[in-house]
Amino acid sequence: MKRSFYKCLLWLHPAGFRDRFADEMLWIFDETGGQGPRPFTDVLISLLRQWTFHSGVWRIAFGALASCLLLAGWWHFQEAALASALRRGNPGALKEIKHRHASGMPCVGASGDVIRAAETESGRAGSQVDTGGCDVADGVQGIVAAFQHHRVVMIGEVHGLEPTGEFYRRLIRDRKFQETVQDIVVEFASRNNQALLDRYIAGRDLPIGEVRHIWRDTTKVASWESPIYPQWLAAIRDVNKGLPPSRRLRVLAGDTAVDWRKIYTHADWEALGDNNVSFADVIVNEVLRRGHRALVVLGTNHVTKSGDRNGDEDTTTRVESRYPGSTYVVLLDNRGLLGPPAQELVRLHRVSQNEPILCELAGTPLGDFPVNHGTPLSNKADALLYLGPPETLTRAFPPAGSLEPTYMKEVDRRSMIEWGELRDRKLLGAAAE
Amino acid sequence: MKEEVTAMLPLSPAALHILLALAGEDRHGYGIIKEVARQSEGHYKLGSGTLYDNLEKLMDRGLVKEATARSGKGEPARRHYRLTDFGRRVLEADLVRLKRVLRESRLHLRAAESGKVS
């Protein structure tokens, strides 16, 4: 009876603490026969501490109170900004005013006459997605803020883009990011190379021929030759040199372990299985069970909230099934959904020009925008990351002819195994010549 | 580096006892509880809730880390904990602080006894 009650109290602890320590605490209870120094009082106090101070609940309560006090001033500021945007002919502002007017909601600074006059003046055709109304923040600070309520922030990237590489390097150099996040999970390294990755990130001097195995030997053939990935690893290594050991960022290899010396046929390669299983495994066991926070960078199809493009389980759905609410999904806006109105957002929300923008989607018109078979965008992601118009999102390739012939011979072999053709040559372009 | 050590001080009583218990050798959780009881001659009793609350914090701050699980004769492998180099430096710094407190208290108590209150 006493043991069962003690077990219940352990079960009530937060999942991270429970996964780490509950077994040991129960063993100690058994060893002492439940007689120790007031075991039930001790574990009740521990329970209270974990849920109030360690989980940050007190911060949430304090934040809610502060938010209520600031609400009136914030509302006035928003109304003034909206009225100002309307006067400048902002189409998003016009839509917002019309929506409020139709719904009978307060429209400070705008009447029916103002709306009709604005419609006449703008004569807007509406060819662009109307993105008025999404919660905008500076890209770096927006992602750091997401960690307040989610232990895993997942960025769905398009591989090898120069602006994303710059953004990642910028993100890890941010002091608040360094103070908040412990781990970075990447797709461009396989788990069998974790020890090599650890040595490199720890600052060991290793020959480049050895370090390259990190991004060259993954299950995805010829996919990680873009210089943005080694540049990012080098930047993390550099940042870690200035951090105390307990605060250093750890890079976790997420891809399925693979030894290409033992892969001879397409069947061998297929037997490696779905790497979403591996990504989710690493996130659950190395991050969440340890009570850590992690930035996860994977291809878009691995992270969308509603599953992959076929509606099957992806990394996010697998993690959420075990740790509900733990993830926050950010997709790169590579379709120009924010487009020119992004500049209006910049002025409206006082975000600096030419800086990355994070656009939160929940409850906004942009979140309702249908993508892929009519699914609202907010079903796929929590936010969009805007790094510039689509024409500026260029891929970074290694220099022409820079890939060694012996390596290219092996990549050709792997390409034939995976695709039955030399698709690697198309992917690598001039670098493979 | 010195600033990082200083930032950890003063250690709470529970943290101090845990680090002291690990100063000699790696121990598992129950081993830490027994060693704390022995070192304090039974005056300080550490419950497992308090122990693991503090261990979690100490591990997050890099003062303690997990050592390879070891098993006794016929027992399953138990996770052991180890004092890190950084943890050792913090413990030493806190002991220096406590020595100062002890010295000051002896001086003042002696002065009070002799009637020479400053």
Side-chain angles (χ1 to χ4, degrees), chain A residues 111-270:
Chain A
S111 63
D113 295 334
V114 170
I115 292 167
R116 280 190 287 278
E119 277 179 324
T120 304
E121 284 176 20
S122 69
R124 184 167 170 273
S127 58
Q128 184 72 43
V129 171
D130 191 338
T131 56
C134 68
D135 292 329
V136 167
D138 168 80
V140 168
Q141 297 314 315
I143 284 184
V144 172
F147 281 107
Q148 286 173 13
H149 302 295
H150 303 274
R151 286 168 49 201
V152 177
V153 172
M154 308 186 71
I155 296 183
E157 68 159 15
V158 173
H159 299 315
L161 300 182
E162 183 71 55
T164 55
E166 282 170 17
F167 179 74
Y168 300 151
R169 294 195 292 276
R170 195 165 166 177
L171 189 57
I172 55 112
R173 288 187 181 122
D174 182 79
R175 187 181 55 81
K176 282 186 202 163
F177 179 90
Q178 293 162 13
E179 287 170 358
T180 305
V181 178
Q182 290 81 34
D183 303 315
I184 299 171
V185 181
V186 299
E187 188 179 353
F188 57 87
S190 287
R191 292 163 80 171
N192 50 297
N193 278 323
Q194 184 63 58
L196 172 61
L197 188 51
D198 284 342
R199 291 202 304 277
Y200 179 67
I201 293 297
R204 292 270 302 273
D205 281 324
L206 300 171
I208 183 62
E210 189 178 344
V211 174
R212 281 195 290 228
H213 285 293
I214 293 171
W215 57 84
R216 284 187 169 180
D217 294 338
T218 70
T219 62
K220 218 168 145 73
V221 177
S223 294
W224 311 112
E225 291 297 337
S226 170
I228 71 165
Y229 300 111
Q231 283 166 1
W232 192 24
L233 289 182
I236 296 169
R237 183 176 134 112
D238 214 41
V239 157
N240 276 350
K241 284 179 190 166
L243 293 176
S246 59
R247 285 203 2 231
R248 286 177 188 160
L249 299 167
R250 187 176 185 210
V251 182
L252 292 167
D255 194 27
T256 308
V258 59
D259 183 349
W260 277 100
R261 291 169 301 184
K262 296 177 182 166
I263 307 286
Y264 303 105
T265 65
H266 185 75
D268 292 339
W269 177 83
E270 268 200 328

Side-chain angles (χ1 to χ4, degrees), chain A residues 6 13 16-17 19-21 23-25 27-29 31-32 37 39 42-43 45-47 49-50 54 243-247 290-292, chain B residues 1 4 8 28-31 33 45-57 59-63 66 75 78-79 81 86 89:
Chain A
Y6 191 80
H13 280 68
F17 183 88
D19 288 344
R20 283 171 98 179
F21 301 120
D23 286 347
E24 291 180 43
M25 290 174 73
W27 171 61
I28 292 173
F29 182 88
E31 288 291 308
T32 56
D42 181 69
V43 80
I45 293 171
S46 161
L47 184 61
R49 267 201 298 258
Q50 285 292 323
H54 295 191
L243 293 176
S246 59
R247 285 203 2 231
R290 290 174 185 245
H292 286 191
Chain B
M1 200 70 87
E4 297 153 24
M8 296 287 165
H28 53 53
Y30 188 36
I33 289 174
K45 296 189 174 99
L46 191 64
S48 59
T50 306
L51 167 65
Y52 286 102
D53 250 358
N54 281 277
L55 265 180
E56 186 187 39
K57 270 191 292 202
M59 287 169 76
D60 284 348
R61 290 173 188 172
L63 278 74
E66 286 180 39
E75 288 178 2
R78 294 287 170 200
R79 185 164 55 183
Y81 299 94
F86 180 59
R89 288 202 301 275

Side-chain angles (χ1 to χ4, degrees), chain B residues 67-94:
Chain B
T68 313
R70 301 204 302 261
S71 53
K73 293 179 189 172
E75 288 178 2
R78 294 287 170 200
R79 185 164 55 183
H80 282 58
Y81 299 94
R82 177 179 296 167
L83 192 62
T84 63
D85 289 343
F86 180 59
R88 196 170 294 277
R89 288 202 301 275
V90 170
L91 176 61
E92 282 164 0
D94 204 45

